């Protein structure tokens, strides 16, 4: 499975109930198809008031079903046949009325009928609510949603923000890209279910004065990809991020920091409860010994040097500090090198006393979307060949899950 077509081979039922968010489902359909899924659309009569079946047929490349009396099926049982073929059923938008019907097991039109008739063990129900915030907050809706989740449905959202009615609050349907990400996540094996994973990512920023600082070219992409992959695998993920411009992966708790010392404090506050710690951050090794209170001026005051000398002091080593705790989580270090990859990775493995180092050639990977990695442990090494960072992150998650499940005799990387 590549990142370009993560839903290749999957057949999805996409159900639309009535709501203004129907207009976003045109884009969602396009994204699902582009991701490799075959998409069979079902629409309620109310959905047809917002968007036409013609649009969704064109985007899904399949005729849309709107009625339980559709004679196109030989046995005239669309509600049975559609569910049997599907790997999952996504209802987006799910109106308050549709959620109420699903919670009660009512089946008086094709969409709710198909949801009820689908083989639930094999074909999960994913529900993306979309409604006015008062409707969402109403005890009846909350009761229905709780019942749906208790019955095994997966709730996608809702999001928060501006609503078509002019109000602001909870109840917006998630954006198409977010829904796509959630569908992709749904199909990932839950290798880290019940586990807690702490990740550092990005550069740190060490202030020289209020406007200048020392930092590096780390984009944070690898760490964010690992956070996403771990969350998709069912882990509870905490991501401690230096200054980067990346969106937080869904379901991930993010703590933003600037300096190495702030990163260390944030990490140490979390370590006690973690199963694994993955240090991808490019932590600045040194920081200015003194931070000037005001901007250092180019025109030096009389008696001062024209070019200021920058005295540096060493930053704490976050990974080594965590690895030296009495009962550390499984620690995974990264080594970004410009040469002698294996030798430097082995040195780091010993120096930081961690069970696994993930090595890569730093300057070749910073900011890029793909990478090649070398897993190095006490017994050997294993190469993860060049791929996009999310694919590599998923492989690393598999490796971490395997090591967490065999704590006494960790699997060799070789
Ligand atoms: N690391 C850390 N805290 C530091 C420095 C590094 O937690 N102060 C972690 C990184 O997140 C990474 C690993 O240690 O997982 C190796 O980082 P790297 O910068 O490659 O190693 P250094 O120890 O800084 O060694 P050098 O700069 O000499 O290569």
């Amino acid at each position: 499975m590549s990142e370009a077509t993560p839903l290749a081979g999957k057949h999805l039922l996409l159900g639309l109930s009535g709501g203004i968010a129907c207009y976003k489902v045109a884009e969602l359909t396009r994204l699902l198809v582009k991701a490799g899924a075959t998409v069979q659309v079902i629409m309620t009569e109310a959905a047809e008031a917002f968007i036409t079946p013609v649009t969704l047929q064109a985007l899904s490349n399949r005729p849309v079903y709107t009625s339980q009396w559709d004679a196109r099926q030989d046995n005239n049982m669309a509600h049975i046949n559609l569910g049997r073929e599907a790997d999952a059923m996504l209802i987006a938008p799910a109106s308050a009325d549709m959620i109420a019907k699903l919670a009660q097991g009512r089946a008086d039109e094709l969409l709710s009928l198909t949801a009820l008739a689908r083989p639930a063990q094999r074909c999960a129900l994913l529900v993306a609510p979309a409604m006015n915030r008062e409707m969402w907050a109403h005890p009846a809706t909350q009761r229905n949603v709780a019942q749906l989740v208790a019955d095994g449905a997966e709730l996608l959202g809702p999001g928060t923000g501006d609503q078509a009615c002019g109000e602001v609050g909870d109840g917006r349907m998630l954006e198409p890209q977010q829904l796509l990400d959630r569908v992709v996540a749904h199909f990932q094996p839950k290798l880290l279910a019940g586990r807690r994973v702490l990740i550092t990512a990005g550069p740190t920023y060490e202030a020289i004065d209020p406007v200048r600082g020392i930092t590096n070219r780390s984009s944070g992409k690898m760490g964010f990809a690992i956070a996403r992959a771990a969350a998709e695998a069912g882990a509870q993920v905490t991501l401690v991020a230096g200054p980067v411009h990346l969106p937080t992966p869904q379901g991930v708790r993010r703590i933003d920091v600037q300096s190495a010392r702030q990163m260390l404090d944030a990490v140490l506050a979390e370590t006690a409860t973690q199963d694994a710690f993955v240090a991808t951050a490019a932590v600045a090794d040194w920081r200015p010994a003194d931070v000037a209170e005001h901007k250092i001026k180019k025109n030096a005051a009389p008696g001062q040097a024209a070019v200021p000398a920058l005295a540096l002091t060493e930053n704490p080593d976050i990974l080594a500090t965590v690895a030296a705790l009495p009962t550390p989580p499984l620690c995974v270090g990264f080594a970004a090198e410009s040469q002698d990859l294996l030798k430097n990775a082995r040195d780091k493995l010993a120096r930081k006393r961690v069970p696994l180092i993930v090595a890569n050639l730093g300057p070749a990977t910073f900011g890029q979307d793909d990478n090649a990695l070398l897993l190095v442990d006490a017994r050997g090494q294993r190469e993860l060949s060049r791929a996009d960072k999310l694919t590599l992150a998923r492989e690393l998650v598999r490796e971490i899950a395997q090591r967490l499940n065999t704590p006494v005799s960790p699997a060799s990387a070789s």
Side-chain angles (χ1 to χ4, degrees):
M1 185 189 70
S2 84
E3 197 190 355
T5 53
L7 295 176
K10 300 293 180 205
H11 181 66
L12 301 176
L13 280 182
L14 176 58
L16 289 79
S17 54
I20 185 61
C22 280
Y23 84 91
K24 293 186 181 178
V25 178
E27 174 72 2
L28 173 62
T29 306
R30 202 185 65 85
L31 291 176
L32 292 169
V33 169
K34 205 169 153 213
T38 49
V39 179
Q40 176 59 60
V41 176
I42 302 175
M43 296 173 72
T44 63
E45 195 184 335
E48 285 187 77
F50 292 93
I51 186 170
T52 70
V54 175
T55 303
L56 292 163
Q57 175 172 353
L59 291 167
S60 66
N61 210 14
R62 281 170 166 256
V64 169
Y65 281 84
T66 56
S67 162
Q68 70 269 46
W69 312 121
D70 196 314
R72 281 173 294 177
Q73 297 280 324
D74 289 344
N75 60 1
N76 214 307
M77 293 187 198
H79 63 291
I80 303 285
N81 303 342
L82 295 178
R84 276 188 190 155
E85 294 165 353
D87 295 299
M89 179 171 192
L90 167 61
I91 301 188
S95 64
D97 181 53
M98 179 52 62
I99 289 172
K101 287 167 75 169
L102 295 170
Q104 292 174 20
R106 283 169 53 200
D108 57 357
E109 42 65 48
L110 183 62
L111 183 52
S112 56
L113 181 58
T114 308
L116 194 66
R118 77 189 203 288
Q121 296 302 320
R122 207 180 47 68
C123 175
L125 179 62
L126 314 181
V127 177
M131 67 197 74
N132 162 274
R133 68 187 174 96
E134 300 288 3
M135 293 169 77
W136 173 251
H138 195 285
T141 302
Q142 290 302 310
R143 206 165 49 234
N144 291 333
V145 167
Q147 184 61 58
L148 259 192
V149 171
D151 290 346
E154 200 176 312
L155 198 64
L156 314 187
T160 295
D162 291 339
Q163 303 204 307
C165 53
E167 296 178 9
V168 180
D170 291 342
R172 272 170 67 102
M173 190 175 78
L174 293 184
E175 295 302 323
Q177 181 64 47
Q178 292 176 306
L179 289 175
L180 170 69
D181 290 349
R182 290 290 295 267
V183 172
V184 171
H186 167 78
F187 287 111
Q188 297 306 310
K190 304 300 170 215
L191 299 173
L192 293 177
R195 301 289 193 179
R196 298 169 73 107
V197 178
L198 178 65
I199 299 164
T200 62
T204 63
Y205 177 90
E206 312 296 333
I208 296 171
D209 68 16
V211 296
R212 303 184 183 92
I214 299 173
T215 186
N216 60 64
R217 291 172 51 217
S218 166
S219 67
K221 283 182 180 174
M222 192 67 224
F224 275 61
I226 294 169
R228 174 176 167 180
E232 286 178 348
Q236 241 177 291
V237 180
T238 303
L239 176 62
V240 180
V244 291
H245 298 283
L246 291 174
T248 310
Q250 289 187 72
V252 167
R253 183 164 76 99
R254 174 174 178 170
I255 301 170
D256 283 318
V257 297
Q258 295 279 317
S259 69
R261 286 185 297 173
Q262 287 172 353
M263 189 174 272
L264 177 68
D265 289 346
V267 163
L268 288 180
E270 302 290 333
T271 43
T273 55
Q274 302 294 328
D275 295 295
F277 174 53
V278 187
T280 72
V283 182
D285 291 318
W286 308 281
R287 67 177 183 275
D290 299 300
V291 181
E293 192 187 340
H294 296 292
K295 184 182 174 195
I296 301 169
K297 302 302 287 181
K298 189 170 155 195
N299 295 325
Q304 281 183 352
V307 179
L310 209 55
L312 298 176
T313 187
E314 199 174 336
N315 264 331
D317 189 314
I318 300 168
L319 177 60
T321 306
V322 174
L325 290 172
T327 53
L330 171 71
C331 287
V332 180
F334 267 66
E337 307 296 342
S338 60
Q339 59 180 350
D340 293 338
L341 195 58
L342 185 56
K343 180 184 169 303
N344 281 315
R346 290 226 161 277
D347 286 352
K348 268 170 207 175
L349 195 70
R351 187 156 44 86
K352 311 220 175 198
R353 295 175 183 278
V354 294
L356 180 64
I357 287 282
V358 182
N360 61 60
L361 289 172
T365 177
F366 280 175
Q368 303 291 312
D369 288 324
D370 63 357
N371 199 355
L373 300 176
L374 190 65
L375 305 189
V376 181
D377 74 2
R379 298 195 218 166
Q381 65 264 3
R382 176 160 75 94
E383 200 181 321
L384 304 185
S385 50
R386 182 156 287 279
D388 60 83
K389 288 183 175 176
L390 185 57
T391 300
L392 291 171
R394 288 189 179 128
E395 285 207 43
L396 193 58
V397 158
R398 261 195 294 281
E399 177 75 26
I400 290 170
Q402 202 183 331
R403 284 167 187 262
L404 285 174
N405 292 335
T406 50
V408 183
S409 168
S412 166
S414 57

